[in-house]
Amino acid sequence: VAGGSLDQSTGAFPFYQDSAHPNVLRENNDAALRSANVAALWTVSDNTTIRLLGNYFYADRGAAGVAITPGQGASSLNARQSDAQTFGAIKADYDDGPLATTLCLAWQRQFESYRDPEEGTNDSGWNNLLDASARASYTINPLAEAFAGVEEEHTGLAGTTNRTPSRDSIIDRNRT
């Protein structure tokens, strides 16, 4: 199964600002959003299945700010923000009567950015997450079941250092 979408908007809707500017159009308010997903199931045997999952999302839009200047539809005409996320996983399930097990590997990458050339701001960050897990259950009798599992997750955050126009560092967010 697969799917996707693309949505776009100019965001230039009219709004009332004051009696001298009763019909101002919103500026720098456009948006573009893309997404896709995929899912697959493979039945290996009567008691074993493997699933593949994936999705992607991206959004880029203007960051207009408050419309405070008379006759102008934004306080920031060039600021932009973007977000993205990618995810993928493979999961194997085995169920044979009293014993059931699951193995899973997953990866996720998240991105965000904010850019405002008028303010000298260009900030972005990437977050990578890797996950591995194994679980098992065993039915001892109709009233008792034993469970065990282990999971490991690693996260790495890296990003640009947001700087003011004087090049002074105000954010440092490189982490592992």
Side-chain angles (χ1 to χ4, degrees):
V1 177
S5 68
L6 171 62
D7 300 301
Q8 294 180 279
S9 171
T10 64
F13 60 87
F15 67 95
Y16 176 84
Q17 192 173 54
D18 57 37
S19 59
H21 305 91
N23 213 6
V24 176
L25 289 179
R26 188 70 165 142
E27 297 175 76
N28 193 29
N29 197 41
D30 62 303
L33 297 98
R34 299 186 298 251
S35 68
N37 60 67
V38 64
L41 173 65
W42 176 35
T43 303
V44 179
S45 67
D46 289 342
N47 52 7
T48 305
T49 59
I50 296 177
R51 298 173 196 269
L52 295 172
L53 303 168
N55 68 36
Y56 167 78
F57 175 81
Y58 177 79
D60 180 68
R61 57 204 166 277
V66 179
I68 55 175
T69 305
Q72 193 171 15
S75 60
S76 180
L77 298 175
N78 296 308
R80 308 289 299 170
Q81 62 186 41
S82 301
D83 301 283
Q85 178 172 297
T86 305
F87 171 79
I90 183 168
K91 180 181 174 195
D93 291 304
Y94 173 80
D95 189 349
D96 188 22
L99 177 64
T101 59
T102 298
L103 300 173
C104 185
L105 288 174
W107 170 76
Q108 184 172 2
R109 181 176 173 97
Q110 301 166 336
F111 169 77
E112 58 147 17
S113 73
Y114 178 81
R115 304 166 310 280
D116 188 348
E118 292 173 17
E119 296 293 326
T121 304
N122 188 5
D123 182 42
S124 61
W126 298 265
N127 192 16
N128 288 294
L129 298 94
L130 183 60
D131 183 82
S133 63
R135 297 179 197 101
S137 65
Y138 186 80
T139 303
I140 299 166
N141 62 50
L143 299 174
E145 192 168 357
F147 295 93
V150 63
E151 183 170 16
E152 175 64 28
E153 184 172 286
H154 177 75
T155 300
L157 174 63
T160 61
T161 300
N162 183 12
R163 297 186 181 277
T164 63
S166 66
R167 305 298 293 157
D168 292 331
S169 175
I170 59 174
I171 297 174
D172 183 9
R173 53 184 184 165
N174 293 320
R175 304 276 189 271
T176 300

